[in-house]
Amino acid sequence: MMKIIQTRLKDMPSSLLAELGSYRYSVFARGEGWSIPSRLSTPGQEYDRFDRSDVIWLIAWTAQQGICGCARLMQWQEPVTTAEPQPRQQKDQALSPIWEMSRFSAKLDVDPELPLAILWHSVQLAELSGIDYLYSAATPMLEQMFEHHQVLYEPLSAGVIQSEDNLFAVRIPVRQPHLADKFRGARRFSPEEVLPTLGVSVSWNSRGR
C-alpha cells in the first residue's frame, strides 16, 4: 500500500535519508543528467544547497518498492535579479505567502496518479500552514497531466525558480477542488509509522550538509 511520509529533513531517520539520496540520484543525476556540486558529492546519492534542516519532505513509499516519489517544500525566496522586469500583477502575487515545491518526482509505472497524490498532499500541507501558492518547476508531460486532471496552475516568467535545472516554472494555488474530490481524506504518515526499521537517526547538521 502506498503511503505518503511527511518529515522535516532534520527529523528524517538516517536510513530514510540515505534511501532518499539514492532515489534522487537515480531520478535527477542519472535520469535527468543534472550535475552534482563536488562539495555535496556522495557516491550514488544526490543533494543540493537547498537541503536545509528545516525543509519539509513528502515521500511516497511502499514496503515492496521503497521510495516511489517525493517533493521538497520550502519557503520561496525571490531571486535577487531577474532577466526581465516582472509585470505589476506578478509582483503583487509574489507578496502572498508562497512555498517552493522542488525535487518533485513520481514513478508512473507504480501508480499513474502518484504525481497528483503528492501534489494534493503538498497543497493541503501548504494551506494548513497559511500558504497561498506553490511555485514549482514543470515539464511538458506534467503540464499535460495537470490539464487532463483540471489542476489549476499558471506559467511564470523565466528566472522565478532558482533551484531547478528544469524548463519552466508554474504557480499553483493551494485550493484545488478537483484534487480534493479525488484525494480528500487521505492522510500522511510519520517515518516511525511506516518504516519497518529506522536505523540510527542522525541530524542533517551533524552530517555536514
Side-chain angles (χ1 to χ4, degrees):
M1 178 181 176
M2 183 73 66
K3 294 183 178 180
I4 304 297
I5 299 172
Q6 174 189 336
T7 179
R8 291 188 182 274
L9 195 60
K10 63 183 178 182
D11 301 322
M12 193 179 299
S14 58
S15 57
L16 183 60
L17 178 62
E19 186 176 350
L20 178 62
S22 298
Y23 173 81
R24 287 171 55 175
Y25 183 87
S26 69
V27 172
F28 300 111
R30 186 184 303 139
E32 299 291 340
W34 293 3
S35 60
I36 301 176
S38 57
R39 66 185 178 84
L40 298 177
S41 179
T42 300
Q45 299 194 347
E46 189 268 335
Y47 303 106
D48 67 15
R49 62 192 178 94
F50 298 95
D51 286 316
R52 299 184 296 268
S53 64
D54 61 335
V55 300
I56 299 172
W57 278 93
L58 293 173
I59 300 170
W61 190 90
T62 70
Q64 296 74 25
Q65 302 281 342
I67 294 178
C68 302
C70 63
R72 179 176 60 190
L73 301 173
M74 56 188 180
Q75 187 69 37
W76 176 76
Q77 295 182 348
E78 186 174 5
V80 177
T81 59
T82 56
E84 298 177 359
Q86 294 182 348
R88 178 176 180 80
Q89 181 182 7
Q90 187 167 309
K91 286 184 178 181
D92 293 340
Q93 291 171 346
L95 296 177
S96 302
I98 294 169
W99 277 358
E100 181 175 340
M101 180 178 67
S102 57
R103 292 304 186 268
F104 182 33
S105 167
K107 291 184 176 180
L108 299 179
D109 58 335
V110 175
D111 182 350
E113 293 192 343
L114 184 54
L116 299 175
I118 295 174
L119 178 61
W120 162 247
H121 285 286
S122 298
V123 297
Q124 187 180 51
L125 180 59
E127 186 173 15
L128 291 173
S129 302
I131 303 301
D132 293 335
Y133 302 99
L134 296 177
Y135 281 177
S136 180
T139 62
M141 184 175 69
L142 189 62
E143 189 178 29
Q144 290 176 4
M145 176 176 286
F146 284 0
E147 292 177 351
H148 179 71
H149 291 278
Q150 302 181 63
V151 175
L152 305 177
Y153 74 97
E154 302 172 19
L156 294 172
S157 60
V160 171
I161 298 293
Q162 297 293 298
S163 62
E164 298 290 355
D165 298 12
N166 255 6
L167 301 176
F168 57 92
V170 293
R171 174 178 175 266
I172 305 170
V174 296
R175 290 185 175 87
Q176 296 287 341
H178 293 283
L179 290 180
D181 290 342
K182 183 182 293 289
F183 296 109
R184 183 182 285 115
R187 60 164 291 203
R188 295 178 293 279
F189 296 80
S190 68
E192 291 76 12
E193 292 178 286
V194 173
L195 301 183
T197 57
L198 293 177
V200 180
S201 179
V202 180
S203 72
W204 184 252
N205 290 336
S206 69
R207 293 174 63 92
R209 297 281 173 206

